[in-house]
Amino acid sequence: MTLVHPPLAAAMIHGVESDGPTVASTNPARLDEVVAEVRLGGAGVLVAAARVARAAQRGWADVPAPVRGSVIGNFGRLVEENADALARLVTREIGKPLTEARGEVQEIIDTCRFFLGEGRRLYGETVPSEMPDKQLFTFREPVGVMMVITAGNFPVAVPSWYLVPALLCGNTVVWKPAEYAAACARALTELAWNAGLPPGVLSTVPADGAATAAGLAQALDAGLVDKVGFTGSTEVGREIGALCGRHLQTPCLELGGKNPMVVAPDADIDLAVEGALFGGFGTAGQRCTSLGTVIVHESVYAGFRRRFAAAVENAPVGDPTRPVLYGPMLDAKFAAAYERHLGLIRGHHTTFGSTAVGRITAAAPRRGFVGDPAEGLYYHPVVVDGVRPDDALFLEETFGPIVGLATYRDLDSAIELANAPGYGLSSAIYTNDPSTVFRFRRGISAGMVSVNNSTSGAEAHLPFGGNGRSGNGSRQSGRWVLDQVTRWQSVNWDYSGRLQKAQLDTAVPEADLAFRLEP
């Protein structure tokens, strides 16, 4: 049902009025349904939000960390109490199957539960000095104002990876969500505000790419932003990295992936097929951790291919409110980009997995489709056999329901193939041989390795992030993210009553290093 008066998702900044053009956020599963009218903020709105955040930051940092942790706990409880409504909004706005949307909301709850306790564990250290009557200490301090820019494929979970630890550690945050997920952002911000955040501590500004780039540059030039967190494409990540580098800042970059799965000769083939199906086609392949290429040992290739083909052909696709493997593309721009990637299929490739390739329509139907494909942005799943290391399809992130298939003869060549695209986010290997596991772990460039599990599926207390084209080595989630949202301060306190100079005045007892035991 089309909403007669869809809600407005506009900038949410304490004490600042914003104006700008309005665009519609539509349900990609039902294109005639407007989920929200989105008022886009310009560069000046982002700068204004950063000024508000700067003004609020010192007061928030002065709140004791355990108390800030209690606010994070309140946030988690509010998300839990509103879990069903939030999950349904995620499904409506980006088309993620309801089961997955509920899992995404649970990840926020898990993140809040973890960082609730971290409010009492923001430990520094007491370090022994080489001088008498002197003490050394270390302290974690907030970095200051953080600007967070996120994609919309995980419209509430991934933002929580930034927001929760940043706020816990005493930072203030300006969040720029994806325009096509602005209603989800509004809902999450309202939940955070009602958890007890003081005014100005968290602002949310929907904006397009050009306004975001200009606003971030202006805020950095004005000294209003101390840290940037970005989840999105490698191309944009490079630009943000270069911009931050000019200000001697290191951003937290979580970028794309071309994630490999290796199937060893001793693998449980049925389990590997299950992992490939979920990793490759969950969320319609629109995850940064989505499976890119399955690299199968030639001795088990035929059996894997046969069973994988059957699994993909029989997987339910369609209406995300019903039990399906995946629903629509996130938005029209992603559908258009995916169609361009389908153009990378070449004559030496063989495709299978569905009754057609491309958009699911009345003229190109999907057997067993759930619902009416004419209502949304639905695409056939496709497996491309015969991909080669020099194929663009092998090398580039495709961000859609497409998986490549290749073979290997020995583990070293499998690792070489897995690393060839230059991404380094997630990876998987299916084997029951510990030596194979550890050889793969040591050789793979990915920041995350799964054994007998999918390339997708992070737990809230484990570090998440990649290397190479997938990021700059920063990590999110768990205690490891604290190094992104805090800075270390060291203190030396000399109470000897005189100036003691380290290295120069250190008194070391003399030793007779020429001493030897009698034979």
Side-chain angles (χ1 to χ4, degrees), residues 185-443:
R186 169 183 161 169
L188 192 65
T189 303
E190 288 179 343
L191 291 170
W193 281 5
N194 282 281
L197 288 180
V201 170
L202 171 63
S203 298
T204 301
V205 182
D208 63 21
T212 302
L216 175 59
Q218 292 171 27
L220 286 167
D221 286 341
L224 297 173
V225 171
D226 306 291
K227 184 76 175 185
V228 178
F230 172 72
T231 296
S233 71
T234 300
E235 179 183 8
V236 175
R238 286 194 179 106
E239 295 175 2
I240 289 175
L243 177 61
C244 291
R246 293 201 292 272
H247 294 272
L248 303 180
Q249 291 188 23
T250 302
C252 181
L253 299 177
E254 198 277 285
L255 310 177
K258 189 68 175 180
N259 307 293
M261 173 188 289
V262 173
V263 181
D266 65 329
D268 180 331
I269 299 300
D270 288 332
L271 185 62
V273 165
E274 185 180 4
L277 186 69
F278 177 75
F281 298 105
T283 320
Q286 299 168 108
R287 305 177 183 133
C288 56
T289 56
S290 289
L291 172 61
T293 307
V294 191
I295 304 167
V296 186
H297 192 271
E298 57 187 17
S299 67
V300 295
Y301 162 76
F304 177 88
R305 187 190 191 282
R306 183 178 63 255
R307 282 182 257 186
F308 191 36
V312 178
E313 289 166 1
N314 293 316
V317 174
D319 184 347
T321 64
R322 296 164 67 180
V324 293
L325 176 61
Y326 70 85
M329 302 299 286
L330 298 167
D331 183 78
K333 69 179 181 180
F334 291 103
Y338 177 60
E339 289 191 2
R340 290 193 295 271
H341 284 122
L342 288 175
L344 300 177
I345 298 173
R346 297 290 182 253
H348 63 273
H349 296 145
T350 302
T351 63
F352 62 88
S354 194
T355 44
V357 172
R359 190 163 178 177
I360 302 172
T361 63
R366 160 80 176 177
R367 186 177 64 249
F369 186 85
V370 179
D372 181 0
E375 292 184 341
L377 298 169
Y378 296 103
Y379 280 77
H380 290 274
V382 58
V383 182
V384 182
D385 196 359
V387 293
R388 301 170 181 171
D390 59 348
D391 287 341
L393 191 62
F394 178 83
L395 296 170
E396 298 302 324
E397 183 180 34
T398 49
F399 215 67
I402 184 170
V403 172
L405 190 58
T407 62
Y408 76 96
R409 288 187 176 181
D410 59 76
L411 185 60
D412 287 341
S413 63
I415 293 171
E416 184 177 353
L417 284 170
N419 288 332
Y423 290 91
L425 184 57
S426 184
S427 63
I429 186 165
Y430 279 77
T431 180
N432 291 302
D433 182 355
S435 65
T436 299
V437 170
F438 285 105
R439 284 177 60 199
F440 180 78
R441 184 212 65 77
R442 187 172 181 180

Side-chain angles (χ1 to χ4, degrees), residues 384-511:
V384 182
D385 196 359
V387 293
R388 301 170 181 171
D390 59 348
D391 287 341
L393 191 62
F394 178 83
L395 296 170
E396 298 302 324
E397 183 180 34
T398 49
F399 215 67
I402 184 170
V403 172
L405 190 58
T407 62
Y408 76 96
R409 288 187 176 181
D410 59 76
L411 185 60
D412 287 341
S413 63
I415 293 171
E416 184 177 353
L417 284 170
N419 288 332
Y423 290 91
L425 184 57
S426 184
S427 63
I429 186 165
Y430 279 77
T431 180
N432 291 302
D433 182 355
S435 65
T436 299
V437 170
F438 285 105
R439 284 177 60 199
F440 180 78
R441 184 212 65 77
R442 187 172 181 180
I444 196 70
S445 63
M448 299 179 290
V449 179
S450 293
V451 182
N452 297 330
N453 204 342
S454 164
T455 56
S456 294
E459 296 192 35
H461 52 285
L462 198 65
F464 184 101
N467 314 305
R469 296 170 72 186
S470 293
N472 60 348
S474 57
R475 294 294 181 264
Q476 298 169 300
S477 299
R479 60 183 175 84
W480 296 268
V481 74
L482 296 178
D483 288 332
Q484 298 299 316
V485 295
T486 61
R487 55 181 173 83
W488 282 108
Q489 181 184 69
S490 64
V491 174
N492 79 83
W493 184 348
D494 194 322
Y495 51 92
S496 68
R498 57 192 177 87
L499 177 62
Q500 299 188 95
K501 300 181 287 295
Q503 293 91 45
L504 301 180
D505 298 335
T506 304
V508 179
E510 291 187 7

Side-chain angles (χ1 to χ4, degrees), residues 132-178:
D133 299 324
K134 186 178 181 182
Q135 292 291 332
L136 310 179
F137 309 92
T138 65
F139 296 86
R140 282 193 185 272
E141 290 293 316
V143 292
V145 176
M146 187 173 188
M147 185 172 289
V148 173
I149 304 166
T150 58
N153 55 338
F154 284 84
V156 291
V158 167
S160 77
W161 295 356
Y162 292 104
L163 304 184
V164 169
L167 294 170
L168 173 86
C169 290
N171 302 285
T172 51
V173 178
V174 177
W175 174 25
K176 202 298 288 185

Side-chain angles (χ1 to χ4, degrees), residues 72-148:
I72 296 302
N74 292 338
F75 181 32
R77 285 191 288 274
L78 278 172
V79 171
E80 190 169 18
E81 291 297 322
N82 292 273
D84 187 65
L86 186 57
R88 291 184 182 279
L89 178 58
V90 168
T91 295
R92 284 183 60 223
E93 190 166 38
I94 67 160
K96 180 173 289 191
L98 189 55
T99 299
E100 282 194 51
R102 287 173 173 146
E104 178 168 346
V105 172
Q106 183 61 47
E107 191 158 357
I108 307 171
I109 299 166
D110 294 344
T111 297
C112 289
R113 286 173 177 168
F114 180 88
F115 283 102
L116 162 63
E118 289 302 296
R120 296 184 182 273
R121 287 191 297 269
L122 285 178
Y123 298 145
E125 293 181 304
T126 301
V127 182
S129 173
E130 64 190 55
M131 299 294 188
D133 299 324
K134 186 178 181 182
Q135 292 291 332
L136 310 179
F137 309 92
T138 65
F139 296 86
R140 282 193 185 272
E141 290 293 316
V143 292
V145 176
M146 187 173 188
M147 185 172 289
V148 173

